[in-house]
Amino acid sequence: MARTLYQVIGAHPRASEVELLAAWQRLADPLEREAKISGPAAERLNELNAAWAVLGNPEARAAYDATLPDSAFDTPSSGEVMPEQDAAVGRPLFDWRVGRLLVLITVLSVLVIGWRSCSFSWSSDGARAQAEANEAEARARDAENRARIEAQMDRAASGLPAGEERWQREQDARANEEARRESDEQIAAREAAREREAAEAAEMRARAEAEREQVEAEAAERAAENRERLEREKAMLERLQDDNNRAMRLR
């Protein structure tokens, strides 16, 4: 005797629309997830889809039920295969969806953290290059001041009249004082710049770390919410299946 469409998808003729949908998805989803199927697997998928095309339409289902004998609506026959016993199932209904979601969340988290790290590295490299340029400029100014002082000392040693020599010494003293003041200011400016750069770098590291922790926390929260939702859906389907099995045993 040929199997009925209910036996094809592994459901009882008195099953509700939700139970029929769950039975069909439980058998068809593992086959549809395969990139390429052929042979018996392709024939099985076509058979499941053809059965669902009729049973998933209330009017078509009613017309099909009218062609079935009364015995088909009693207890399940020995040839009927329940969803949890079908060999094509292999895995729970929602496991693959949870896995893909977790992989996607992990990839997004890694990309965000990598982007933040690259931004911090570029900013640190720019600050370091600016600090090196400032220090090189300061060294050049120090060398210029030293050369000017040495030139003034050479002129003083060349033998000038007493009045001019005193005036020259005063000019040299003022020049030396100005050179020391400029050098001190440059050193202080370099130290302040280094301190600002260190503070900015520490702030950027703290901000990147806080953003990374926030991204990880949000990803973990979303994953937990999705797992809970999928577990609830799975529990609902299992409860419906148990109710259907008890109803069939009572009949």
Side-chain angles (χ1 to χ4, degrees):
M1 179 179 179
R3 292 196 303 171
T4 65
L5 298 182
Y6 293 102
Q7 292 173 332
V8 170
I9 66 173
H12 193 270
R14 297 187 185 278
S16 64
E17 294 182 5
V18 174
E19 293 170 340
L20 287 177
L21 175 61
W24 171 69
Q25 286 181 334
R26 198 172 185 85
L27 298 179
D29 279 357
L31 297 176
E32 291 178 345
R33 290 198 297 270
E34 300 296 333
K36 295 180 181 179
I37 58 174
S38 60
E43 295 177 359
R44 176 60 171 157
L45 181 60
N46 293 333
E47 184 183 28
L48 291 170
N49 290 336
W52 176 246
V54 175
L55 300 181
N57 186 330
E59 296 179 357
R61 180 185 178 185
Y64 176 73
D65 289 347
T67 64
L68 296 177
D70 295 339
S71 59
F73 295 90
D74 296 336
T75 58
S77 63
S78 59
E80 184 176 348
V81 180
M82 298 308 293
E84 63 270 22
Q85 297 173 340
D86 195 286
V89 176
R91 288 170 290 183
L93 176 61
F94 297 105
D95 285 359
W96 66 279
R97 298 175 184 173
V98 175
R100 287 185 179 179
L101 180 61
L102 293 177
V103 170
L104 178 60
I105 292 173
T106 303
V107 171
L108 291 177
S109 300
V110 171
L111 290 177
V112 170
I113 294 171
W115 181 80
R116 295 295 184 186
S117 300
C118 291
S119 299
F120 172 73
S121 177
W122 295 334
S123 300
S124 300
D125 292 342
R128 188 162 50 252
Q130 184 64 32
E132 292 175 355
N134 293 337
E135 188 172 355
E137 183 179 357
R139 284 197 297 269
R141 290 178 181 176
D142 292 341
E144 182 180 353
N145 291 332
R146 283 194 299 270
R148 186 173 58 189
I149 293 171
E150 290 175 357
Q152 292 172 353
M153 294 176 65
D154 291 340
R155 286 197 303 271
S158 61
L160 296 175
E164 292 184 4
E165 182 178 357
R166 185 171 56 255
W167 178 84
Q168 186 64 45
R169 285 198 300 271
E170 292 174 355
Q171 292 293 324
D172 292 344
R174 283 195 293 270
N176 292 337
E177 183 66 24
E178 182 67 20
R180 282 194 298 271
R181 186 182 61 80
E182 290 181 359
S183 178
D184 293 340
E185 290 177 353
Q186 292 169 0
I187 292 173
R190 287 198 297 271
E191 290 296 331
R194 278 196 288 269
E195 290 177 359
R196 281 197 308 272
E197 291 164 2
E200 291 175 357
E203 183 180 357
M204 291 181 64
R205 283 195 297 271
R207 187 166 56 249
E209 182 67 19
E211 291 176 353
R212 181 184 64 80
E213 292 177 354
Q214 182 180 1
V215 168
E216 291 178 352
E218 291 176 354
E221 183 179 356
R222 286 194 297 269
E225 290 176 354
N226 284 309
R227 282 195 298 270
E228 291 178 0
R229 179 177 58 82
L230 294 175
E231 288 296 332
R232 286 196 300 270
E233 293 178 358
K234 181 179 179 181
M236 182 190 68
L237 293 175
E238 291 177 351
R239 187 169 58 254
L240 291 173
Q241 185 62 51
D242 292 339
D243 292 343
N244 184 47
N245 291 338
R246 283 196 297 270
M248 288 187 294
R249 284 197 297 270
L250 292 175
R251 295 192 188 98

